[in-house]
Amino acid sequence: MPPARPRRSELATPASNDWMFAKSAAAGADMVFLDLEDACAPAEREAARGKAAKALNELDWGSTTRAIRMNGVDTRWAYGDVIEVVTAARENLDMIVVPKVRRARDVWWVDVLLTQLEETLGLGKKIALEVLIEEVEGLQYVDEIAHSSPRLEAVIFGAGDFSASQGARVDTNFDPVADYPGDLWHYARSRIMVAARAAGIEAVDAPFPNYRDPEAYRIACDRAGAMGYAGKWAIHPSQVEIANDAFAPTPDEIAHAVRVVAAYREAEASGRGATGLDGMLVDAAHLRHSETVARKAALLGLDGTGLDGDKS
């Protein structure tokens, strides 16, 4: 099981735009990734490595997870992204996001390269990985991808490139241009969610380009959270607070979980495996839900008094 870390908001920042770095570091995001891939023009990608490493080394990131998004393993930039940034940033890099993963071998390639670098540099920690599913082939093999490396902590749905890979007719917010019933990407989101959970890791939802519509972004966060997603990408600092709030348990959810635990434990002490609370059945399945709330509350430093079980 990978180490637990909050990932309610994952803020994208172009690695070539160093004037944005300080604002991103102070945005309060659970994770910021300096993007060496699509957000950088091809001519800027090699120079952006040094800018990213300098920011990782010199800025105050607080509790924010520090990451880069490398270029895809099938590009000429991939090995240089890993070698140059890891060599320069060392322990100041927590995670690498691997884009356009199609098969488990793509993750294996990055894992082996990182292992060699960590041994050569004598690093004191393992650099974690997240992977993007943004090709139809990647969705087809998402189960093997999710189990591909002990470094892997999360699988991300990349709706933009995925829509191109699928040939979907969508607008610039990756919404269907036709009157489509329901969520066009529900199947992909469900596949990714189930594969991640089966592997003991988390799932992160797709970016939402329309950053001038915070209400629609909040709805998208809430829907992803209802499916079990741990967080969502933010493409603008204004989206960070929305995601942080949407993917955290509310005080009411925590209070209800406390009551469920108390009711179940009282029934258990009386030799019963189920009881009632507010006219609803409470059994072992409900206890599991409460423990999920407890783990999330503890991870985020929220008050979970009365929720028993392991909160580490």
Side-chain angles (χ1 to χ4, degrees):
M1 180 75 67
R5 70 177 94 216
R7 44 176 46 89
R8 298 164 298 174
S9 54
E10 297 195 343
L11 177 60
T13 304
S16 54
N17 297 359
D18 48 1
W19 63 89
M20 295 182 175
F21 293 170
K23 186 174 183 179
S24 294
D30 286 339
M31 189 258 268
V32 172
F33 66 93
L34 304 178
D35 190 4
L36 296 166
E37 196 214 15
D38 285 354
C40 283
E44 299 294 325
R45 291 181 184 179
E46 293 178 5
R49 297 168 185 161
K51 293 181 180 181
K54 186 173 187 292
L56 293 168
N57 289 333
E58 297 181 2
L59 291 179
D60 180 5
W61 294 89
S63 61
T64 297
T65 297
R66 300 155 296 179
I68 61 166
R69 176 164 68 162
M70 61 179 287
N71 283 275
V73 300
D74 59 346
T75 72
R76 67 182 179 86
W77 297 286
Y79 80 98
D81 290 345
V82 177
I83 292 172
E84 290 189 31
V85 177
V86 172
T87 299
R90 299 186 176 236
E91 280 88 354
N92 292 323
L93 176 66
D94 301 312
M95 184 177 298
I96 294 178
V97 179
V98 188
K100 298 181 177 65
V101 171
R102 293 175 169 85
R103 299 292 293 266
R105 63 175 178 264
D106 298 341
V107 187
W108 177 86
W109 186 90
V110 180
D111 190 333
V112 170
L113 184 55
L114 278 174
T115 298
Q116 294 172 351
L117 271 170
E118 288 164 349
E119 292 178 358
T120 299
L121 298 171
L123 299 188
K125 71 175 186 180
K126 293 282 188 181
I127 294 170
L129 296 176
E130 292 187 357
V131 298
L132 272 157
I133 301 299
E134 46 190 342
E135 301 288 335
V136 292
E137 184 180 356
L139 187 64
Q140 186 74 8
Y141 294 100
V142 67
D143 299 295
E144 71 170 39
I145 290 168
H147 287 86
S148 60
S149 168
R151 297 179 187 271
L152 188 57
E153 295 188 6
V155 182
I156 309 159
F157 176 45
D161 278 293
F162 191 89
S163 63
S165 178
Q166 183 170 302
R169 296 180 61 194
V170 297
D171 60 21
T172 52
N173 205 49
F174 315 134
D175 293 321
V177 296
D179 182 17
Y180 188 88
D183 178 10
L184 178 65
W185 304 121
H186 183 75
Y187 171 71
R189 285 189 165 104
S190 296
R191 276 288 303 273
I192 290 169
M193 184 73 256
V194 171
R197 288 297 183 214
I201 61 177
E202 293 186 311
V204 175
D205 195 35
F208 193 91
N210 188 7
Y211 63 89
R212 295 186 183 276
D213 192 343
E215 293 183 5
Y217 181 70
R218 174 64 194 234
I219 291 171
C221 289
D222 287 342
R223 290 175 177 172
M227 293 183 70
Y229 275 78
K232 189 171 179 66
W233 267 17
I235 56 92
H236 191 275
S238 64
Q239 294 180 329
V240 168
E241 184 177 356
I242 298 170
N244 285 349
D245 181 66
F247 289 98
T250 66
D252 286 346
E253 287 174 319
I254 296 173
H256 183 260
V258 170
R259 295 179 65 225
V260 167
V261 170
Y264 183 85
R265 294 306 182 201
E266 181 180 352
E268 188 179 47
S270 302
R272 293 177 285 124
T275 187
L277 179 67
D278 300 332
M280 299 289 288
L281 174 72
V282 171
D283 61 11
H286 298 90
L287 184 66
R288 288 185 64 186
H289 282 290
S290 296
E291 289 170 345
T292 299
V293 173
R295 286 192 296 270
K296 178 60 74 70
L299 182 65
L300 300 175
L302 303 176
D303 183 13
T305 303
L307 286 169
D308 58 359
D310 181 11
K311 297 184 183 182
S312 60

